[in-house]
Amino acid sequence: MSRRCLSQSLRILPVALFLAAQWVAAAAPAGAAPAAAASAAGAKKASSAQPKKVITIEGVTEYSLDNGLKVLLYPDDSSTTISVNITYKVGSRFESYGQTGMAHLLEHLSFKGTPRNPNIPDEISSHGASANATTSDDRTNYFETFPAAQGNLEWALGLEADRMVHSFIAKKDLDSEMTVVRNEYERGENSPANILRERVLETAYLWHNYGHPTIGARSDIENVPIIDLQKFYHTYYQPDNAVLIVAGNFDEAKTLAYIQSVFGAIPRPTRILPTQYTVEPAQDGEREVTLRRTGGQLVLIESFHIPADAQADSAALGLLAEMLNERPSGRLYQDLIATKLAVQASANAASMHDPGYLMFTVVLPKDGNLPAARTALDKLIAALSSERFTDEELQRVKAQELNGYERLMSSSQQVASDLSENVAAGDWRLLFWDRDQMAKVTIADVQRVASAYLVSSNLTVGTFIPEDKPVRAVIPVAPPLSAMLQGYTGSKAVEAGERFEATPANIEARTHRGTAGSLKTAFLERKSRGGRVSGVIRLHFGDVQSLQNLGDTGRLTAAMLMRGTRKHTRQQLQDELTRLKATLGVSGDANGVAVSLETTRENLPAVLDLAAEVLQQPAFPADQLDEIKRQRLAQIDSSRTEPQALASEAVRRYLSPYTAGDFRYVATFDEQAAAVGKITVQDLQQFQQRFYGASNGEAAFVGSFDSPAVTQSLQRDFASWKSPSAYARAPAVYKAIAAKTETIETPDKANAVFLANANLRLREDDPAYPDLEIGNAILGGGFLNSRLATRIRQRDGVSYSVGSDVSADPLDEVGEFSVYAICAPQNIGKVETDVHEELARALKSGFTAKEVADAKSGILQSRIVGRSTDRALAIALVNHLFLGRDFSWDAKFEQSIGAASSQAISAAVRRYLDPQSLFIVKAGDFASPKH
C-alpha cells in the first residue's frame, strides 16, 4: 500500500445532532470573514450539467462536476454505516515563510461554523457521527461516519458543501483557537522521540516544506494574521481543488443527484492555484542533529531521501522496509533486538506526493549502549547493497501486503480513508496501482534501490565529514500520472455482502446460542463483504485466593502466547496466519485470556486449530520472554518522567481498593519493574499448566461461516481441555475515597495534565445509570459541544483535549467518574477553576431540554455505530454470554435513554457527582521560571 506519514490531527469523538439542508449562499454576520462574498467573487456561474462518469476501478467510480469537483463513490450494501470524506489538496507543503502551521490552524477554524451551520459540533453530535479532520504535508481532509440513512447522508454532504466556501474564519475564533493549537503543539513537545523526528526532517530538507512539521512553528501559530488564513481558505477550499468520497451503504443514483444539487451549486473559481515548484536538491553529505531533553529512553534515527509515491522505485522501497521490520526473522530484529542492543527497531518508507524518506528508528533503554547500536545499524544498512534477501523473505511480506489489501476492501470506511491518502499522493488510482507494482517487485529490484538510495551522502544522522569523491543519490522525477494510469482498470472487485441493520432486535433475531463442550456459544451468520468472519473466544480461570501474587505472571503468560508454540516458532505462526489470510490476537491477565480472530469462511477451521494450539501448547521461548521484559522495563523507565503516566498511576493507586498480593493491585513503577524482572520461563509454564483450560468460557462468531462446522471445531479443540484449578469470579470492590489534591512535578515538559476522579457506588443496571450517562454526555462526554469543551477549549482556549467519562460495572456496585484535560503548566489553575464551576453549574441548574435531546440522539446513534463491525458484534455477544444477557438488555437500556427526563437526569447527577469527593492530580513543569 502507499506508505505516508500523517501529521497533526484534530480528533472528534462520537456524539450527535440535526439534518442539514442544501448548499445556499448566505451573508456572513458582523465580525466574520467575508467567506461567502469571497467565494462568489471571481467565480464562474454555477452549472446545471449532470456529473460525468470518468472511470470505475474495483468498485470505486469517479465522477466529475463542471465546477471541477471530483467525486468517488464506493457503495457497500453490507455496511451499516456511511463515510463521507472530503479531501482538499492542500497541507503544510503549501505554506509560505512565516506561515507554517496555517493549514492545520485552518482545519481547526473550519469547525467554528458558517452562517447556515453556526454550531458544527452540535450537528455532529445530533447524528451520532464519528467524525475526524486531519492535516498532513499534502492534504487536509474532513470526514464523518454515521448510521446509514438518507437523512444523515444529506446532512453530511450539505455540511461539507456549506463549509467549503462559507466558513466564518473569523478573528475572534482565531484568538481562542490559536491557544488550543498551541497546547496541541506543547503536547508534541513532551515526546523526545517526536521532536527528534522533527529535527531530523528539518535537517534533511533544506528547502522543501516536508522539513517543516505540520503543526508549525510556535511563533507562526501565535502570530499568523487572520487575513492570511482567509486568503489561504479562499484559495484552496474550492471544488476544483477537492475530492469528495462517499463509501458505505447508500443509493448511488440518489447520492449522485444530491451531490450535484449541493456541490454543483458552487461556482467554479476563476483564480489560478499557486504552483509548487521547490525541489529538494540531492543531499551532498551526512548531516547530524543531537537533541538533549528529559526522558527515559535513548532514541536513534537515520533517514534517507527516497522518490515520490508515483515513481517506479517506491514499491520496492516499501517492501524493503517491510522485510527489515519482520519479526523475528527481519534484520532489524535480529541485529538490534535479539542482540539486546535495543528494545524497538523499525523502518518506515514514507512515500508521498514529492520525494519522501526512508527512516530507521531505534529505541534503547536509558542505560543502553547508543554507540554500539548505531554501529550495528550502520553495518546493517551498508550490507543491504551486497547481501541479498531470500525469495522467501520477499514473498512473505508480499503475501502480508496483499492480504492487507483484501481486508481493506472489506471495510468501506477504511477504503474511504485510503482513497483520501492516495489523492494526497497525486491520484486515488494509486491505491490499486501501487498494489500491482508491488506484486512485480523482484529481489533484484530491492537490492538495486538499497544501493541507489541508502548511501552515506544521502544520510541524515551524523556530523559532517568531508569526502574527496562524494556519492550523490539523485531522486528520479515521477512520471505524468495521466499517461501512467491511462487505460488502467485494476482487478476484480471484492465480493459484496448483505445489508444488515445493527439494531438489537435484528441482532437478536439472527443470533443462535448454544454450547460446545463447556463453552457457551453465540453465532450470527451473515453474508459479509469478502466472505470474512470475526470471532472471539474468552476463557476464565482462578479465583482471588489462588491468584495471589500472580498478577504480573498472568499478564506476561498471555503476552507470550503468540511468541511460539511447541509446533510453530513465532515466525512460523505469522507465516501460517498469512497463508490463511487471517489475523489472530491474544490478550489476557491473571484470571482470563481472550483470543480474537478474523479470517475467511474456508480457513476458519484451520485458524481455530491454530488458536487452540497457541493456548494449549505454548513454548515460552526464553529469548522472547527476555525481549518482552526489556521492552516493559524500558516503557516503565520512560513513564517515570511523563506527566500523563505519572498522573494516571497516582489516580489508579488512590482509587484502587486492592492491596499488595491481589492480582488487581496497582503497583508503583518501582514495584512493576521489580516484579517483571523476577519472572522466569518456569513461572509462565507453571501458571499456564495450573490455570489454563476451557472449563469456563464463551465463544462468539459473526460473518460468513457455517455454525455446525464451527461447533464441531470448538468441541474438537476445547471440549476435553479442562482447567486444573477452580474458577470463581473475582467481585469488584467499592472503595470510598476522601477528597484530595496532588501535584507532581515533571521538569522540562511543555504540556501538563489535569485529572479529577471519584469512585461511585453504582451498577450498570441501576435505574439511574442511563440518566447519569446522559448527564455526563452533556457535561463532558460529547464532542466539542460538551459544557467542559465549550468553556475550556472553545471559549477559553487553554486545552486541546478535555472531557469527562462515567462508567459502571455490570455485576458489582463499582463505578467511576473522571474529568481529564491537558494544558500548558501556567494554565492549570484556569482549567481547575473551569472544571469546578461547570460541575457546580450542572448541579445547581441542571440541563436544558435541547441539551438533553441532543445528548440522547448522540448516545443512541453512537451505539448503532458501535455495533457496525463484525468484530464489535462478536465482542458484544461474548460479553452478553458471560453476563447472562441477550440484546433485549440493549433494547431496554436504549429505551431508558430515550425516556429519560430532564428532572431524572439532574437528580442522578446531583446524587452521584460530588465535587467535594474528587481526587485531583496535576502533573507538569510548574516550578520552571518560564511558567
Side-chain angles (χ1 to χ4, degrees):
M1 298 183 185
S2 299
R3 294 165 179 86
R4 255 162 247 106
C5 290
L6 296 185
S7 188
Q8 309 304 320
S9 66
L10 170 64
R11 189 177 178 205
I12 301 171
L13 301 176
V15 234
L17 254 143
F18 101 127
L19 295 177
Q22 294 185 2
W23 183 94
V24 182
S39 65
K44 296 180 180 178
K45 184 178 180 180
S47 170
S48 60
Q50 295 305 302
K52 300 179 180 64
K53 182 176 180 179
V54 179
I55 191 173
T56 297
I57 294 179
E58 298 188 29
V60 181
T61 302
E62 177 185 337
Y63 296 89
S64 65
L65 273 57
D66 270 9
N67 59 10
L69 179 71
K70 283 187 179 182
V71 179
L72 305 179
L73 300 184
Y74 185 70
D76 177 9
D77 288 343
S78 67
S79 177
T80 59
T81 61
I82 304 173
S83 293
V84 169
N85 182 313
I86 188 158
T87 301
Y88 294 95
K89 292 181 279 188
V90 60
S92 58
R93 175 165 62 90
F94 298 78
E95 294 164 350
S96 303
Y97 177 77
Q99 298 174 338
T100 62
M102 193 160 56
H104 180 237
L105 261 174
L106 182 58
E107 171 210 315
H108 278 242
L109 293 185
S110 294
F111 284 92
K112 295 297 184 179
T114 72
R116 173 166 293 279
N117 298 287
N119 197 326
I120 292 175
D122 272 4
E123 297 184 33
I124 293 172
S125 298
S126 70
H127 291 82
S130 173
N132 204 25
T134 63
T135 306
S136 72
D137 306 82
D138 296 317
R139 59 98 187 110
T140 306
N141 77 355
Y142 302 82
F143 71 84
E144 302 85 25
T145 297
F146 41 83
Q150 186 66 22
N152 286 343
L153 176 58
E154 292 180 3
W155 158 74
L157 293 172
L159 172 64
E160 294 301 349
D162 188 24
R163 69 172 168 180
M164 174 181 280
V165 289
H166 290 149
S167 291
F168 290 139
I169 318 299
K171 179 67 165 63
K172 65 180 181 64
D173 292 328
L174 174 61
D175 289 343
S176 64
E177 199 66 20
M178 178 277 291
T179 55
V180 170
V181 174
R182 184 175 61 193
N183 183 226
E184 184 180 0
Y185 169 93
E186 292 160 344
R187 180 183 66 169
E189 290 285 298
N190 272 12
S191 169
N194 178 66
I195 299 303
L196 180 59
R197 176 182 175 275
E198 290 183 0
R199 296 291 183 269
V200 167
L201 293 179
E202 289 163 354
T203 305
Y205 289 95
L206 300 181
W207 306 105
H208 195 284
N209 275 352
Y210 282 170
H212 299 154
T214 302
I215 192 70
R218 185 187 184 108
S219 59
D220 291 357
I221 295 170
E222 293 173 335
N223 298 297
V224 62
I226 187 63
I227 192 171
D228 288 356
L229 278 171
Q230 292 167 349
K231 181 180 178 181
F232 197 84
Y233 169 70
H234 299 321
T235 299
Y236 293 106
Y237 278 53
Q238 296 289 343
D240 63 342
N241 194 47
V243 178
L244 174 67
I245 304 166
V246 182
N249 191 338
F250 62 90
D251 183 291
E252 189 166 2
K254 285 183 181 179
T255 300
L256 196 59
Y258 197 80
I259 289 171
Q260 173 60 32
S261 71
V262 294
F263 283 93
I266 303 174
R268 187 183 187 105
T270 57
R271 62 88 182 89
I272 304 299
L273 281 166
T275 301
Q276 302 297 314
Y277 48 79
T278 299
V279 176
E280 184 71 22
Q283 188 168 321
D284 54 3
E286 300 91 334
R287 301 170 188 167
E288 182 166 357
V289 60
T290 301
L291 178 70
R292 297 186 186 276
R293 290 195 176 200
T294 299
Q297 295 176 325
L298 300 174
V299 183
L300 168 67
I301 293 178
E302 296 196 357
S303 185
F304 301 84
H305 295 281
I306 62 172
D309 184 89
Q311 204 277 333
D313 289 342
S314 178
L317 286 160
L319 288 173
L320 169 62
E322 292 304 312
M323 284 189 284
L324 291 171
N325 284 330
E326 275 288 287
R327 294 185 176 212
S329 62
R331 298 186 188 185
L332 285 171
Y333 180 91
Q334 291 294 328
D335 290 3
L336 288 156
I337 296 178
T339 58
K340 303 181 183 181
L341 287 173
V343 294
Q344 296 177 36
S346 63
N348 173 48
S351 299
M352 307 163 82
H353 185 280
D354 291 346
Y357 51 87
L358 177 60
M359 182 176 287
F360 295 83
T361 304
V362 179
V363 179
L364 293 78
K366 196 172 185 178
D367 59 352
N369 190 333
L370 185 59
R374 180 170 174 177
T375 298
L377 179 61
D378 290 343
K379 182 179 179 182
L380 182 157
I381 294 171
L384 294 176
S385 61
S386 58
E387 295 180 8
R388 293 176 60 87
F389 287 92
T390 67
D391 189 67
E392 179 185 4
E393 289 175 289
L394 178 59
Q395 295 308 319
R396 176 186 295 137
V397 296
K398 276 190 179 183
Q400 292 170 353
E401 291 291 298
L402 292 172
N403 286 347
Y405 271 98
E406 288 190 17
R407 289 192 295 272
L408 161 69
M409 299 309 292
S410 300
S411 169
S412 54
Q413 182 176 348
Q414 191 60 47
V415 168
S417 175
D418 280 32
L419 286 171
S420 173
E421 295 309 315
N422 284 276
V423 166
D427 193 297
W428 66 271
R429 292 170 290 178
L430 288 171
L431 174 63
F432 307 106
W433 178 270
D434 288 348
R435 175 203 60 199
D436 294 351
Q437 302 315 300
M438 178 192 68
K440 301 174 185 177
V441 171
T442 65
I443 292 294
D445 293 328
V446 174
Q447 189 160 8
R448 175 179 54 77
V449 297
S451 300
Y453 305 115
L454 305 189
V455 296
S456 60
S457 63
N458 193 33
L459 169 65
T460 298
V461 68
T463 57
F464 172 72
I465 300 174
E467 292 183 352
D468 294 334
K469 298 180 180 180
V471 178
R472 300 287 184 262
V474 179
I475 308 300
V477 177
L481 292 174
S482 57
M484 186 180 78
L485 298 171
Q486 182 70 34
Y488 178 65
T489 59
S491 303
K492 183 180 178 181
V494 175
E495 173 191 355
E498 68 169 290
R499 182 183 182 126
F500 181 79
E501 299 293 338
T503 62
N506 195 35
I507 294 169
E508 193 58 32
R510 295 285 295 272
T511 299
H512 300 281
R513 295 178 178 83
T515 59
S518 298
L519 295 177
K520 300 174 184 177
T521 60
F523 299 145
L524 197 163
E525 293 185 51
R526 75 181 191 94
K527 185 179 180 183
S528 61
R529 192 167 185 86
R532 301 193 70 82
V533 56
S534 294
V536 177
I537 302 171
R538 189 176 296 168
L539 307 177
H540 314 281
F541 38 73
D543 56 29
V544 174
Q545 186 61 39
S546 64
L547 294 171
Q548 279 285 308
N549 299 307
L550 293 176
D552 291 289
T553 304
R555 286 185 284 273
L556 269 181
T557 299
M560 281 286 289
L561 294 179
M562 289 298 293
R563 297 294 180 118
T565 71
R566 293 196 290 271
K567 293 182 179 179
H568 294 89
T569 66
R570 181 183 179 186
Q571 185 63 64
Q572 289 169 340
L573 278 176
Q574 294 177 0
D575 291 346
E576 188 67 3
L577 289 171
T578 299
R579 184 184 68 82
L580 295 171
K581 300 181 178 181
T583 60
L584 181 65
V586 179
S587 61
D589 52 25
N591 71 332
V593 65
V595 174
S596 61
L597 60 90
E598 183 194 0
T599 187
T600 58
R601 176 189 181 99
E602 60 272 15
N603 288 331
L604 181 56
V607 175
L608 287 173
D609 291 343
L610 202 60
E613 179 187 323
V614 165
L615 291 169
Q616 299 173 30
Q617 303 180 56
F620 298 121
D623 62 328
Q624 295 296 305
L625 175 60
D626 186 57
E627 177 189 325
I628 289 179
K629 289 169 64 175
R630 287 187 292 113
Q631 290 173 341
R632 178 62 186 136
L633 291 171
Q635 181 184 25
I636 292 170
D637 282 341
S638 178
S639 298
R640 296 178 192 274
T641 60
E642 295 302 320
Q644 181 67 58
L646 290 166
S648 297
E649 181 208 26
V651 167
R652 291 187 300 114
R653 284 182 56 78
Y654 191 74
L655 268 60
S656 173
Y658 308 113
T659 57
D662 193 295
F663 71 91
R664 296 161 294 181
Y665 169 68
V666 180
T668 66
F669 289 138
D670 287 342
E671 289 171 334
Q672 292 176 45
V676 169
K678 293 177 182 177
I679 293 175
T680 66
V681 167
Q682 290 73 27
D683 294 330
L684 305 187
Q685 291 170 336
Q686 290 172 7
F687 186 91
Q688 193 271 343
Q689 292 166 7
R690 178 181 174 188
F691 292 104
Y692 273 49
S695 301
N696 300 276
E698 305 84 35
F701 295 85
V702 179
S704 296
F705 66 99
D706 179 67
S707 295
V710 173
T711 299
Q712 183 178 2
S713 292
L714 291 173
Q715 289 175 333
R716 179 185 66 244
D717 290 330
F718 296 101
S720 62
W721 186 43
K722 302 301 181 182
S723 307
S725 297
Y727 164 69
R729 184 181 70 85
V733 178
Y734 171 78
K735 174 187 176 182
I737 64 168
K740 181 182 177 183
T741 298
E742 183 174 324
T743 300
I744 302 172
E745 280 291 337
T746 58
D748 202 28
K749 296 296 181 182
N751 189 67
V753 173
F754 173 89
L755 299 179
N757 292 67
N759 284 334
L760 308 178
R761 189 183 289 276
L762 178 69
R763 203 166 73 174
E764 194 179 47
D765 58 359
D766 189 299
Y769 184 60
D771 302 318
L772 196 58
E773 281 270 19
I774 299 170
N776 176 72
I778 298 170
L779 178 65
F783 175 50
L784 299 182
N785 64 321
S786 72
R787 287 189 177 184
L788 289 174
T790 297
R791 176 162 183 178
I792 297 174
R793 173 175 172 146
Q794 302 284 69
R795 193 192 78 178
D796 295 343
V798 293
S799 177
Y800 170 74
S801 177
V802 57
S804 66
D805 186 49
V806 67
S807 62
D809 191 272
L811 296 174
D812 301 304
E813 287 189 326
V814 176
E816 186 176 338
F817 170 69
S818 62
V819 178
Y820 60 89
I822 64 170
C823 63
Q826 63 268 29
N827 292 327
I828 199 77
K830 178 61 176 171
V831 168
E832 184 172 10
T833 298
D834 285 356
V835 168
H836 280 296
E837 290 183 357
E838 286 303 323
L839 275 171
R841 183 163 74 97
L843 294 173
K844 179 181 178 180
S845 305
F847 309 105
T848 67
K850 184 179 186 303
E851 285 179 317
V852 170
D854 292 346
K856 287 181 179 182
S857 175
I859 291 171
L860 293 174
Q861 294 209 53
S862 63
R863 285 176 68 88
I864 294 174
V865 173
R867 296 189 292 258
S868 64
T869 67
D870 289 353
R871 183 177 183 274
L873 265 182
I875 293 172
L877 287 167
V878 158
N879 288 337
H880 280 0
L881 287 171
F882 176 73
L883 298 172
R885 295 175 178 172
D886 58 29
F887 272 86
S888 64
W889 190 94
D890 298 73
K892 292 177 182 177
F893 183 85
E894 291 168 15
Q895 288 170 4
S896 297
I897 292 287
S901 67
S902 297
Q903 294 79 8
I905 296 166
S906 296
V909 170
R910 293 184 183 114
R911 176 182 173 188
Y912 287 104
L913 304 190
D914 180 8
Q916 303 306 315
S917 66
L918 291 175
F919 175 52
I920 295 173
V921 179
K922 294 171 283 188
D925 185 4
F926 307 118
S928 174
K930 63 184 177 182
H931 298 147

